[in-house]
Amino acid sequence: MPKHLTSGLPRLSRTHKLSVAGVATAGAAALVFSIVPGAGADQGTSQATAVENVKPVAFSAVATAAKTQQATITQQADNSAAKGKAEAAAKKAAAEKAAKAKAVAAAKAKAAKERAAKAAANRSEVRTAIPAAAPKPAAKPAAKVYPDNLDGWIRESLDIMAKKGIPGSYEGIHRNIMRESSGNPMAINNWDINAINGTPSKGLLQVIQPTFNAYHVEGTSWNLYDPVANITAACNYAADRYGSMDNVNSAY
């Protein structure tokens, strides 16, 4: 058939072609049977059977291809479903693992918080059980040390006089000591009227025993020859008689 006559017709598939071929063959067989005289009934029957067997062969191939394609589609669907199940199981396992890790972390944090609270309570109990130490008393100032010489004796006596309210100055005491004994704490006068009367003057400021006893200052020695005791008692006497040892410029 010319090409221009077939351009508008639909293309035939392999199956269609086989079907057409079968029909054509059957037609040819029938034509032969009608032309050839004397053909027996058996021959016609055989030819008809051959024609009938053509069509089932063609449709059997189509069914096999369909079954194969359906099996492939089914297998792909099964594979996709299995993959989806595997992914879902993996996600579930990951979620369970994360939840478990979170629970463990929360438990550890809670335990740590409880331990800290317990430790704080224990420290509080210890502080409550142990009373605060009493404040230490203020240290007493170190005792003042005076040199064991005329300067130290006068200064120590002046500190005692200040506490007792007895007037006098370093210069007034020093001046009278140098006139009376030249700074000798063991000096004694055995020639004046006091000596004649049996009570000689003694010590740095030449004090007689009765005067020393009468004007002795508490906190000093009762020894008339003690330098500090002698100066303090003599200044106490001078303050009573002359207002201060500073006012004494001769025998007193």
Side-chain angles (χ1 to χ4, degrees):
M1 182 181 290
K3 183 178 183 181
H4 68 273
L5 295 178
T6 62
S7 59
L9 297 177
R11 297 178 61 85
L12 298 178
S13 65
R14 183 173 180 273
T15 304
H16 292 159
K17 290 178 180 180
L18 292 174
S19 299
V20 171
V23 172
T25 302
L31 181 60
V32 170
F33 180 77
S34 63
I35 292 175
V36 178
D42 293 337
Q43 183 178 2
T45 302
S46 176
Q47 289 176 349
T49 302
V51 171
E52 290 176 357
N53 290 336
V54 172
K55 188 173 181 179
V57 170
F59 282 99
S60 175
V62 173
T64 301
K67 288 182 179 180
T68 302
Q69 184 177 8
Q70 182 62 39
T72 301
I73 293 172
T74 302
Q75 183 62 41
Q76 290 176 347
D78 292 343
N79 292 342
S80 179
K83 183 178 180 181
K85 289 181 180 180
E87 291 177 351
K91 288 182 180 180
K92 182 179 179 181
E96 292 177 350
K97 184 177 181 181
K100 185 177 181 180
K102 185 176 181 181
V104 171
K108 288 182 178 180
K110 182 179 179 181
K113 186 176 181 180
E114 291 176 350
R115 287 195 299 270
K118 186 176 181 180
N122 291 338
R123 288 193 296 271
S124 178
E125 290 178 0
V126 170
R127 286 194 297 269
T128 303
I130 302 176
K136 294 182 179 179
K140 294 181 179 180
K144 191 174 181 179
V145 178
Y146 303 91
D148 189 20
N149 53 31
L150 181 60
D151 178 73
W153 301 331
I154 294 174
R155 293 186 184 282
E156 183 176 356
S157 182
L158 282 170
D159 286 344
I160 296 173
M161 291 164 57
K163 293 177 182 179
K164 301 296 183 179
I166 301 171
S169 68
Y170 186 96
E171 189 279 330
I173 296 173
H174 186 271
R175 173 169 45 83
N176 281 284
I177 286 176
M178 296 310 294
R179 187 188 70 249
E180 295 291 334
S181 65
S182 299
N184 180 9
M186 302 304 294
I188 182 171
N189 187 331
N190 289 315
W191 53 268
D192 66 3
I193 188 62
N194 292 323
I196 294 172
N197 292 331
T199 55
S201 301
K202 300 175 182 178
L204 291 174
L205 285 172
Q206 294 293 284
V207 182
I208 62 175
Q209 191 67 54
T211 300
F212 177 83
N213 294 341
Y215 291 93
H216 173 263
V217 177
E218 185 180 0
T220 63
S221 173
W222 280 96
N223 181 1
L224 179 59
Y225 289 102
D226 180 84
V228 176
N230 187 281
I231 294 171
T232 308
C235 288
N236 192 25
Y237 167 74
D240 184 48
R241 292 290 301 268
Y242 308 103
S244 173
M245 183 61 75
D246 296 346
N247 300 326
V248 176
N249 296 300
S250 61
Y252 62 108

